[in-house]
């Protein structure tokens, strides 16, 4: 299966630290809207810390793809809210 990271800018998708920082930015944004910033940010931190010592390149790629998927889903969700259009096939 091809990597989902191609939907993100390469300087973000290929760098785990930048991906982490962008996930934290999104977590702060979502948390602020939902009035639970600390909880959402802690969840992101825990997931990255949980896997920070992973050395298997395939597992690392999957983890990065999962993080990219989360970012893409959030971007689509925000775009749908702003435009009033639905971009995904889900009901």
């Amino acid at each position: 299966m091809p990597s989902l990271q191609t939907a993100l800018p390469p300087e973000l998708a290929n760098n785990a630290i930048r991906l982490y920082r962008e996930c934290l930015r999104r977590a702060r944004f979502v948390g602020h809207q939902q009035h639970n910033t600390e909880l959402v940010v802690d969840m992101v931190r825990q997931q990255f810390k949980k896997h920070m010592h992973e050395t298997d390149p395939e597992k690392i790629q999957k983890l990065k793809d999962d993080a990219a998927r989360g970012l893409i889903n959030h971007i689509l969700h925000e775009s749908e809210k702003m435009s009033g259009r639905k971009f995904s096939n889900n009901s």
Side-chain angles (χ1 to χ4, degrees):
M1 174 159 65
S3 173
L4 285 174
Q5 294 180 47
T6 56
L8 296 174
E11 64 274 5
L12 177 61
N14 295 330
N15 186 317
I17 293 171
R18 286 186 178 174
L19 190 58
Y20 173 68
R21 288 179 182 158
E22 185 59 27
C23 287
L24 285 177
R25 280 187 204 99
R26 297 287 171 168
R28 286 186 192 102
F29 178 79
V30 169
H32 180 74
Q33 288 185 324
Q34 303 294 325
H35 308 291
N36 61 353
T37 305
E38 189 174 332
L39 174 67
V40 178
V41 169
D42 283 345
M43 287 172 47
V44 169
R45 284 191 175 128
Q46 285 175 11
Q47 285 302 306
F48 274 84
K49 282 184 179 182
K50 180 176 163 183
H51 303 289
M52 70 187 286
H53 297 295
E54 183 60 63
T55 57
D56 180 358
E58 288 183 21
K59 285 184 183 176
I60 291 170
Q61 186 63 47
K62 184 192 177 314
L63 292 166
K64 287 169 58 179
D65 282 347
D66 290 347
R69 185 178 301 109
L71 288 175
I72 292 165
N73 286 342
H74 180 259
I75 291 167
L76 282 174
H77 176 74
E78 287 300 312
S79 296
E80 288 174 354
K81 279 180 26 181
M82 290 175 64
S83 70
R85 289 182 47 211
K86 194 105 168 124
F87 297 111
S88 62
N89 294 340
N90 298 342
S91 305

